[in-house]
Amino acid sequence: MTSSGKSKAPGGEARVKVITENRRARFDYTVDEKLEAGLALTGSEVKSLREGIANLSDAYALPKGSELFLLNANIGSYKAASVFDHLPTRGRKLLLHRAEIDRWAAKVRERGYSIIPLVLYFKNGRAKVELGLCRGKNHEDRRQDIKERETKREMDRALRRR
């Protein structure tokens, strides 16, 4: 334990355990900014996340009033919760500072950005989500990304042969 009472890994950095990653998001969107947000969860949702039962493939965040909500994130049901279980795809409130919510909400409204969750993880025992301020890619952008990936792969192969 450190003097502030928070448990940290050796070397002072925070302990991070990745639960799930939205790999499709990096293919479909160009990520301009990233932000870490906390999640308001119920007990059965936290237990499900600890078991790794989550999916972010169709998830997105949307500003509603002065708050930001994570929608369509599928956190599977926890077997032992039985009667007190949660709805798998319910909207979950994201915990951010007011200035961050206002800044990102303005960009979503004015410039056509989308807020997409990229990674869901535990950081020092608390559930966090990494959000990306994203712009959708068109067909040409995707082809360009594939071409760059192929040339990088070929360069790596050539370096290994030498």
Side-chain angles (χ1 to χ4, degrees):
M1 293 276 236
T2 61
S3 60
S4 65
K6 291 186 178 179
S7 175
K8 296 211 175 190
E13 66 271 0
R15 280 184 271 140
V16 175
K17 179 188 171 207
V18 175
I19 301 163
T20 186
E21 194 171 342
N22 189 354
R23 292 184 180 154
R24 187 77 189 165
R26 298 193 194 278
F27 183 75
D28 290 338
Y29 300 96
T30 302
V31 180
D32 290 344
E33 285 183 53
K34 292 180 184 177
L35 184 65
E36 179 183 78
L39 288 163
L41 300 172
T42 64
S44 62
E45 288 173 328
V46 175
K47 295 278 192 176
S48 292
L49 289 178
R50 291 207 186 280
E51 291 182 350
I53 308 170
N55 187 359
L56 294 176
S57 62
D58 296 329
Y60 60 97
L62 205 62
K64 289 183 182 177
S66 61
E67 297 176 334
L68 197 62
F69 286 90
L70 182 64
L71 305 172
N72 273 2
N74 189 344
I75 297 177
S77 60
Y78 182 61
K79 301 284 187 256
S82 65
V83 179
F84 303 103
D85 206 7
H86 61 274
L87 297 172
T89 57
R90 76 174 184 91
R92 293 163 180 92
K93 185 177 173 182
L94 293 169
L95 308 174
L96 291 165
H97 291 284
R98 172 79 53 232
E100 293 169 336
I101 294 172
D102 293 341
R103 188 168 53 89
W104 278 36
K107 287 184 179 182
V108 167
R109 276 194 304 272
E110 295 168 11
R111 300 193 194 134
Y113 281 100
S114 298
I115 302 174
I116 306 295
L118 304 173
V119 183
L120 186 62
Y121 55 94
F122 281 108
K123 183 176 180 182
N124 292 330
R126 301 195 186 262
K128 304 280 185 178
V129 63
E130 182 179 80
L131 300 171
L133 191 62
C134 302
R135 190 180 292 273
K137 287 184 183 178
N138 56 23
H139 186 66
E140 291 79 26
D141 293 339
R142 288 191 191 108
R143 291 184 78 150
Q144 183 66 30
D145 285 350
I146 292 169
K147 185 187 271 186
E148 288 172 9
R149 194 169 47 231
E150 289 295 322
T151 55
K152 183 182 181 299
R153 201 174 287 158
E154 287 175 20
M155 287 171 43
D156 289 344
R157 283 183 194 144
L159 287 173
R160 267 188 263 133
R161 284 187 210 130
R162 287 186 179 199

